[in-house]
Amino acid sequence: MRQIRKNPEPDHFFYWKMDYKSRNGHEAVYDDLKGTQEYFLLKKNLLEEQGYICCYCEKRIGQEGNLSDCDIEHFMPRHPDSRTLSVQECAICKDAQLAYTNLFASCKGESADGTDHCNHKKDNWFSFKDCISPTDPEIVGLFGFKQSGEIFVLNPAGVEMLKHLNLNSYILEQQRKIAFFTMLETEFEDEDLLRDEEYIEAVIGDYDNMQNGKYPEFCTMITYCLRKYYL
């Protein structure tokens, strides 16, 4: 997973919340936002901020203006599980449901049984001890990758997140594997280039940065494997 650097809260979102409170006499909640013009504008902001990849698995989302293939994700859930969190912890989660720092864009996982992942798999699970925000620098060193597409934990803090996000679903593993070997075929058609460290570093730079406002799909897996297995 790559670290997401949040922009300041968009002015239009700030003023929408202020206007809602002025008109209704109380703070807005997420259900007041969902489906409105402001909701879709906010989702677009989140996609742009993330380079049009899922905040968890890095699948491509929101392509060509399609906003239906992704959700606005609450890192701290708006309906926290009171069986696992204290009253105070539940209150913190609920109060953050329209906090811009708590909002991300996530893919919709997969509909097939046993293969769901990311936002849909995570559902209302949250742990103040075991969850690391996509904005936290620690997220960068949480996982490693095999060229087969499998993710493994580098930091014990990632064990629960890997499980609850189901980032090793069969579909995700295969998609990451295909993305990596497609990159090799594209960037290293001349296999001699795999022994050229300067060229490899240049490719890593390309995949580690946005191109035309978008990150390459599964970019963290690609750059990790190039560094780990080819340098």
Side-chain angles (χ1 to χ4, degrees):
M1 294 170 67
R2 67 179 306 115
Q3 181 186 6
I4 295 171
R5 291 174 171 82
K6 297 290 286 182
N7 295 323
E9 180 180 68
D11 287 344
H12 62 81
F13 187 42
F14 172 81
Y15 288 117
W16 180 87
K17 289 187 288 185
M18 293 289 290
D19 180 64
Y20 183 94
K21 183 177 181 179
S22 175
R23 287 185 291 105
N24 295 279
H26 59 84
E27 303 279 356
V29 295
Y30 184 70
D31 285 340
D32 299 317
L33 171 72
K34 195 168 184 180
T36 66
Q37 183 178 356
E38 180 62 27
Y39 168 84
F40 294 105
L41 186 56
L42 179 63
K43 187 185 283 191
K44 188 172 185 296
N45 288 145
L46 295 170
L47 286 166
E48 291 173 350
E49 185 173 70
Q50 295 172 201
Y52 291 86
I53 58 174
C54 173
C55 64
Y56 296 128
C57 72
E58 299 185 5
K59 282 184 65 170
R60 170 72 63 226
I61 53 177
Q63 288 201 94
E64 299 180 5
N66 176 23
L67 302 183
S68 65
D69 66 353
C70 56
D71 293 320
I72 292 181
E73 156 70 343
H74 294 78
F75 176 65
M76 292 189 292
R78 59 195 177 100
H79 298 303
D81 189 346
S82 60
R83 296 169 300 178
T84 59
L85 297 178
S86 69
V87 173
Q88 292 79 9
E89 289 173 332
C90 287
I92 291 171
C93 292
K94 291 176 182 178
D95 288 345
Q97 62 183 285
L98 287 183
Y100 187 69
T101 53
N102 189 48
L103 302 178
F104 301 89
S106 171
C107 73
K108 291 191 172 183
E110 309 291 341
S111 58
D113 290 342
T115 62
D116 215 356
H117 55 79
C118 298
N119 176 26
H120 284 192
K121 180 66 175 178
K122 174 174 167 278
D123 196 22
N124 293 330
W125 173 77
F126 188 76
S127 165
F128 281 85
K129 173 178 174 288
D130 297 317
C131 288
I132 298 174
S133 170
T135 63
D136 192 320
E138 190 177 356
I139 204 76
V140 176
L142 209 56
F143 303 117
F145 301 84
K146 297 179 181 179
Q147 294 177 79
S148 64
E150 180 184 352
I151 289 181
F152 54 91
V153 174
L154 293 174
N155 182 329
V159 172
E160 291 300 313
M161 287 186 67
L162 182 62
K163 178 176 72 174
H164 285 279
L165 292 170
N166 198 23
L167 296 177
N168 268 335
S169 74
Y170 175 78
I171 290 176
L172 276 180
E173 283 192 24
Q174 292 304 303
Q175 289 175 338
R176 286 192 293 260
K177 178 180 178 180
I178 290 170
F180 183 71
F181 284 99
T182 298
M183 178 279 302
L184 287 181
E185 292 174 0
T186 302
E187 306 291 351
F188 298 91
E189 185 177 5
D190 180 352
E191 293 186 4
D192 288 341
L193 292 173
L194 286 170
R195 292 183 288 275
D196 185 334
E197 292 190 3
E198 185 176 344
Y199 180 79
I200 294 172
E201 290 283 7
V203 173
I204 289 172
D206 288 342
Y207 280 79
D208 204 27
N209 291 281
M210 290 190 194
Q211 306 291 336
N212 298 318
K214 296 180 180 179
Y215 281 116
E217 193 173 37
F218 305 119
C219 50
T220 300
M221 182 267 190
I222 289 171
T223 57
Y224 178 93
C225 288
L226 283 174
R227 289 191 178 101
K228 176 74 173 178
Y229 305 112
Y230 294 90
L231 284 178

